[in-house]
């Protein structure tokens, strides 16, 4: 189905499912989440030194790359349930990202 037409009970079901997960990581600060996860699990990770591009960095870039305001709004509208689930999942994420 088109995301904009997704029945609300699917979003509720996805939230209930995520509440059962022990660890939820926010893709917006994945590197920090992985470090915290490793710490919680008592394992060492070897940092690569590479800087991951985070989602809050990518949002503005995505709009620029699409370079079509109408298409960008259409994509946002189509993905409303996904965006809402992502925004909600930040509240249960292992690391609380702070965005500029």
């Amino acid at each position: 189905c088109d995301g904009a037409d997704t029945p609300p009970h699917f979003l509720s079901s996805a939230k209930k499912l995520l509440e059962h997960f022990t660890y939820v990581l926010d893709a917006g600060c994945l590197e920090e989440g992985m470090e915290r996860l490793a710490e919680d699990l008592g394992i060492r990770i070897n940092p690569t030194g590479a800087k991951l591009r985070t989602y809050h960095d990518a949002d503005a870039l995505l709009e620029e790359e699409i370079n079509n305001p109408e298409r960008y709004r259409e994509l946002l509208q189509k993905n409303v349930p996904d965006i809402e689930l992502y925004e909600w999942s930040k509240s249960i994420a292992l690391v609380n990202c702070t965005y500029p």
Side-chain angles (χ1 to χ4, degrees):
C1 68
D2 185 358
D5 300 324
T6 301
H9 72 274
F10 286 112
L11 181 59
S12 297
S13 295
K15 288 178 180 180
K16 286 178 186 171
L17 177 64
L18 280 175
E19 288 175 336
H20 291 282
F21 283 52
T22 304
Y23 295 103
V24 174
L25 303 180
D26 182 344
C29 57
L30 185 58
E31 195 167 355
E32 294 91 339
M34 293 297 291
E35 289 170 359
R36 175 70 186 280
L37 178 60
E39 181 182 312
D40 282 6
L41 296 175
I43 58 175
R44 283 189 42 177
I45 57 173
N46 295 322
T48 63
K51 178 68 177 137
L52 299 173
R53 185 168 88 167
T54 60
Y55 279 97
H56 58 272
D57 294 335
D59 287 343
L61 294 174
L62 180 60
E63 189 170 4
E64 282 181 30
E65 287 175 16
I66 292 174
N67 197 23
N68 180 331
E70 185 177 316
R71 180 68 177 144
Y72 182 73
R73 282 190 301 276
E74 179 185 319
L75 289 170
L76 286 178
Q77 185 61 35
K78 185 176 185 175
N79 290 289
V80 164
D82 297 302
I83 294 167
E84 186 175 337
L85 181 62
Y86 173 62
E87 293 297 326
W88 174 86
S89 72
K90 291 179 192 180
S91 70
I92 62 169
L94 183 60
V95 172
N96 183 0
C97 298
T98 52
Y99 299 99

